[in-house]
Amino acid sequence: MSKHVVILGGGTAGTMTANRLHRAYDERDIRITVVDQDDDHVYQPGLLFLPFGPAQPHHLVRSRRRQLNTAIDYKRARIERVDLSERTVSLDGGS
């Protein structure tokens, strides 16, 4: 029986965790889903360069989906509720 890992938040930590889990486990053993309410991943260290000119804002924003391995599911939704005892996550829109 395969496991389903749901990662809430597609920031740097969530993205790295999802991609590393994907590399560490066989796809038959684990299903990975990342949930985030928007699709814009901002490369925050690059923000330091904006005032000095070497970086442009549009170069620092990428799609969260593009940061994840194609085998990882990505859901763009707001998290409504997490029920630890039932091991469920309720998303906006009933997903």
Side-chain angles (χ1 to χ4, degrees):
M1 175 177 174
S2 69
K3 302 287 183 186
H4 186 193
V5 176
V6 178
I7 299 172
L8 305 178
T12 302
T15 299
M16 289 177 65
T17 300
N19 286 325
R20 286 182 181 183
L21 281 172
H22 173 71
R23 286 192 301 271
Y25 291 92
D26 188 292
E27 288 181 38
R28 294 170 293 192
D29 298 329
I30 191 171
R31 181 173 146 215
I32 304 166
T33 302
V34 175
V35 179
D36 203 291
Q37 65 185 354
D38 65 53
D39 192 41
D40 292 334
H41 178 85
V42 178
Y43 179 65
Q44 292 183 0
L47 296 175
L48 295 169
F49 297 103
L50 286 177
F52 307 108
Q56 298 298 315
H58 63 277
H59 291 139
L60 303 177
V61 179
R62 293 194 179 143
S63 165
R64 291 190 196 283
R65 171 72 257 171
R66 284 187 46 208
Q67 305 303 308
L68 298 168
N69 183 285
T70 57
I72 296 170
D73 296 326
Y74 174 71
K75 293 213 179 272
R76 183 177 176 183
R78 195 168 80 81
I79 300 159
E80 288 288 319
R81 189 170 65 93
V82 176
D83 187 331
L84 295 177
S85 63
E86 293 292 321
R87 299 174 63 131
T88 60
V89 177
S90 299
L91 304 176
D92 188 33
S95 301

